[in-house]
Amino acid sequence: MAGASSSPPLLTRPSVEAAHEAIKEHIHCTPVVTSQTLNHLASRPQSPTALLGTVFEGHTPASPRIHLFFKCENYQRIGAFKSRGAFHALSRLTKEQLARGVVTHSSGNHAQALALAAQTQGVRAFIVMPTISTPSKIAATKGYGAEVIFSGSTSQEREAMVENVIERTGALLIPPYDHPNIILGQGTMALELERQVLELIDGDPSLSVRRKDSTHTGGGPTSNGASNTRVGSSLEPRSGRLDAVIAPLGGGGMLAGIATALSDTGTKVFGAEPSFQGADDGRRGLAANHRVTTVKTLTIADGLRTPVGEINWTVISDKSKVNGVFAVTEEQILSAMKLVIERMKVFVEPSAVVGLAVCLYNEEFRKIVEEEGGEEGWDVGVVLSGGNTTLEAISRMFATEDKEAERAEGKVGKKGERIAENVAG
């Protein structure tokens, strides 16, 4: 499907910097938070029993040294990083194109993001949403003034409805993730993260794995062991002190954007996925050397149920830009989510914590840090991508031992049957 402007910019760091300049007045520079408690947990070897049933069973558990810097996109407008790409996509359109209105298909965060961006620009927005989308996300999308059109949950049904809307209204398609304008917009978070970490470490060198003996001078830790800061919007293109950044991987717009922004900076970039029912299509695709085009999964990380897009795949499969993709189990996602909520006091959705879960529990990743970081270790940026869930949903996740029980959206069809939905976020 065609989408966004006809002449998208190149996927380069200068293009990400230009994107940030275009959208900075419309987005939040979300805080970066650290946690001594989670640094300690990430730097502690797993128990041998945790490795039972894995390829690392019987091996000595890795003992990496990791300091974590959390980019809290759950505090972004609409509660997730998607606002960045939506605002940038609209900024690339001419007045004549904006006058036609915009359309997309999404079950949640992109729907809300595009609705908000369109409302801000005074543009009509048509959002195609599956009938089984969660009521709160439908209500939020309508609340931003968008016209919601319902469709079936398959990609064919959704795209057919989008084509119908385009034919009827002349609106322009703004894809959820697989377009250069979306990729560049999402990549702006990496520029902020890079500078924020520099400022945090300048204020308190002990936050870095490299310097732990200086007197603290700013950005003080809170009573729960976390510290946070907000910085201004002036972003010089300079290398950060981060050894790595890890981000969730669904359709791939965010990971491709981060990899583009951090290309040739010396910071490694990794992706994180759930493994449940084949949701780790990015990891499997890299292993097989081809893109996996279909995903059907009921992972609790519902924002990551989408296969990697074609354009995003060209970035993610480039080993000079993305150093690897790792997967974690449902139990590990829930464990990481509980730590973030209870220890850091940060409200997140399951999709947001897959990167942290990799740092805590994926032995392959942890061995890389141990081997390449040595005794010094790594400073790792972790993207918390969003917080669009509810107390009721979280309660259900932690209240039952039945891991096949209630799973976010896309769980029940019109006739009561379970549906593994493949819906763009």
Side-chain angles (χ1 to χ4, degrees), residues 215-256:
T215 302
H216 171 69
T217 58
T222 64
S223 59
N224 66 355
S227 62
N228 53 5
T229 185
R230 291 180 183 270
V231 300
S233 57
S234 177
L235 297 167
E236 296 85 10
R238 51 180 177 167
S239 295
R241 299 190 188 188
L242 287 171
D243 297 284
V245 172
I246 187 165
L249 174 58
M254 174 170 54
L255 186 61

Side-chain angles (χ1 to χ4, degrees), residues 307-347:
V308 176
E310 292 183 33
I311 298 173
N312 299 325
W313 177 253
T314 65
V315 177
I316 293 166
S317 61
D318 184 341
K319 293 181 180 178
S320 71
K321 294 182 178 179
V322 175
N323 295 82
V325 175
F326 301 93
V328 286
T329 66
E330 303 288 272
E331 292 75 15
Q332 290 167 340
I333 293 171
L334 284 174
S335 178
M337 186 176 177
K338 186 174 182 181
L339 285 170
V340 171
I341 293 174
E342 293 185 350
R343 298 298 183 93
M344 295 176 61
K345 317 304 179 188
V346 174
F347 191 83

Side-chain angles (χ1 to χ4, degrees), residues 69-90:
F69 296 82
F70 296 93
K71 180 63 169 167
C72 296
E73 285 293 289
N74 54 309
Y75 297 135
Q76 188 53 262
R77 297 185 72 181
I78 71 95
F81 72 97
K82 293 278 189 175
S83 295
R84 296 176 181 271
F87 273 106
H88 183 241
L90 292 197

Side-chain angles (χ1 to χ4, degrees), residues 30 104 150 168 172 219 275 282 297 310 315 317 354 359 372 374 421:
T30 53
T104 198
F150 293 105
R168 174 170 59 86
L172 288 172
S275 60
T297 174
E310 292 183 33
V315 177
S317 61
V354 290
C359 292
E372 297 190 16
E421 196 181 8

Side-chain angles (χ1 to χ4, degrees), residues 368-384:
I368 290 174
V369 179
E370 180 183 42
E371 292 170 3
E372 297 190 16
E375 291 185 4
E376 186 175 70
W378 275 7
D379 290 330
V380 179
V382 178
V383 176
L384 300 178

Side-chain angles (χ1 to χ4, degrees), residues 140-408:
T141 303
K142 289 182 177 179
Y144 291 122
E147 179 181 331
V148 174
I149 301 100
F150 293 105
S151 74
S153 62
T154 68
S155 59
Q156 293 86 351
E157 290 171 315
R158 287 181 283 113
E159 291 178 4
M161 185 60 71
V162 166
E163 292 295 345
N164 180 273
V165 172
I166 292 173
E167 183 177 347
R168 174 170 59 86
T169 67
L172 288 172
L173 172 65
I174 306 296
Y177 52 83
D178 200 27
H179 192 278
N181 289 336
I182 299 294
I183 295 168
L184 294 172
Q186 317 303 27
T188 59
M189 74 178 73
L191 301 181
E192 295 174 2
L193 172 62
E194 189 178 53
R195 180 168 182 250
Q196 288 170 297
V197 169
L198 277 170
E199 292 199 353
L200 274 172
I201 294 173
D202 283 345
D204 182 0
S206 69
L207 294 174
S208 171
V209 294
R210 293 176 182 81
R211 296 168 64 186
K212 57 182 184 299
D213 55 357
S214 296
T215 302
H216 171 69
T217 58
T222 64
S223 59
N224 66 355
S227 62
N228 53 5
T229 185
R230 291 180 183 270
V231 300
S233 57
S234 177
L235 297 167
E236 296 85 10
R238 51 180 177 167
S239 295
R241 299 190 188 188
L242 287 171
D243 297 284
V245 172
I246 187 165
L249 174 58
M254 174 170 54
L255 186 61
I258 290 171
T260 299
L262 297 179
S263 180
D264 298 323
T265 64
T267 297
K268 298 178 185 293
V269 176
F270 298 94
E273 297 177 301
S275 60
F276 187 75
Q277 294 179 338
D280 55 341
D281 61 291
R283 185 194 65 79
R284 292 186 291 115
L286 291 176
N289 204 30
H290 66 80
R291 185 174 74 94
V292 176
T293 59
T294 302
V295 175
K296 287 191 174 182
T297 174
L298 286 174
T299 173
I300 55 172
D302 60 297
L304 308 179
R305 293 176 180 173
T306 308
V308 176
E310 292 183 33
I311 298 173
N312 299 325
W313 177 253
T314 65
V315 177
I316 293 166
S317 61
D318 184 341
K319 293 181 180 178
S320 71
K321 294 182 178 179
V322 175
N323 295 82
V325 175
F326 301 93
V328 286
T329 66
E330 303 288 272
E331 292 75 15
Q332 290 167 340
I333 293 171
L334 284 174
S335 178
M337 186 176 177
K338 186 174 182 181
L339 285 170
V340 171
I341 293 174
E342 293 185 350
R343 298 298 183 93
M344 295 176 61
K345 317 304 179 188
V346 174
F347 191 83
V348 288
E349 60 190 84
S351 302
V353 301
V354 290
L356 172 60
V358 167
C359 292
L360 293 172
Y361 308 120
N362 186 285
E363 196 69 2
E364 184 180 359
F365 176 81
R366 290 169 59 79
K367 282 191 176 294
I368 290 174
V369 179
E370 180 183 42
E371 292 170 3
E372 297 190 16
E375 291 185 4
E376 186 175 70
W378 275 7
D379 290 330
V380 179
V382 178
V383 176
L384 300 178
S385 54
N388 285 329
T389 186
T390 64
L391 289 174
E392 291 79 11
I394 291 175
S395 296
R396 288 195 298 270
M397 290 177 202
F398 289 102
T400 179
E401 294 299 318
D402 180 5
K403 300 306 179 183
E404 299 297 323
E406 298 296 326
R407 289 182 178 275

